[in-house]
Amino acid sequence: MLTEGDMKDRTRRLNLQNTLKELLKWKIIPILNENDAVATAEIQFGDNDSLASLVAVMMRAEKLVLMTDVDGLFDVD
């Protein structure tokens, strides 16, 4: 669960980077989500797609894959 503050504050961002790197080294796929419970309208990322792009850039990811169930792209389970 992340907030914008986790990305803006250098210490928190470095802790996040180190945690994600360690999880990936252990072959664990982290699942990240915006912490809606504590994020106010003024400090929200806006959506998890924006969060994903920020984390991908922070981690220097080679690829970012976004999945959706938007009508027209997905019509069955």
Side-chain angles (χ1 to χ4, degrees):
M1 303 300 274
L2 301 176
T3 65
E4 186 178 27
D6 297 319
M7 301 298 285
K8 287 187 172 182
D9 181 83
R10 184 176 189 279
T11 301
R12 289 164 60 184
R13 186 178 63 251
L14 290 174
N15 287 338
L16 174 60
Q17 279 179 298
N18 291 333
T19 299
L20 294 176
K21 285 178 185 177
E22 195 65 24
L23 288 171
L24 293 171
K25 188 167 61 173
W26 293 344
K27 300 189 185 304
I28 297 171
I29 299 172
I31 297 173
L32 306 174
N33 194 21
E34 183 174 14
N35 193 347
D36 297 326
V38 299
T40 64
E42 295 82 30
I43 62 169
Q44 285 182 324
F45 287 112
D47 60 45
N48 283 308
D49 294 349
S50 297
L51 171 63
S53 65
L54 291 171
V55 172
V57 169
M58 178 188 73
M59 297 300 294
R60 295 186 172 102
E62 291 181 23
K63 293 180 184 178
L64 170 61
V65 177
L66 299 174
M67 294 184 243
T68 184
D69 61 356
V70 173
D71 289 341
L73 297 175
F74 179 86
D75 59 5
V76 293
D77 286 339

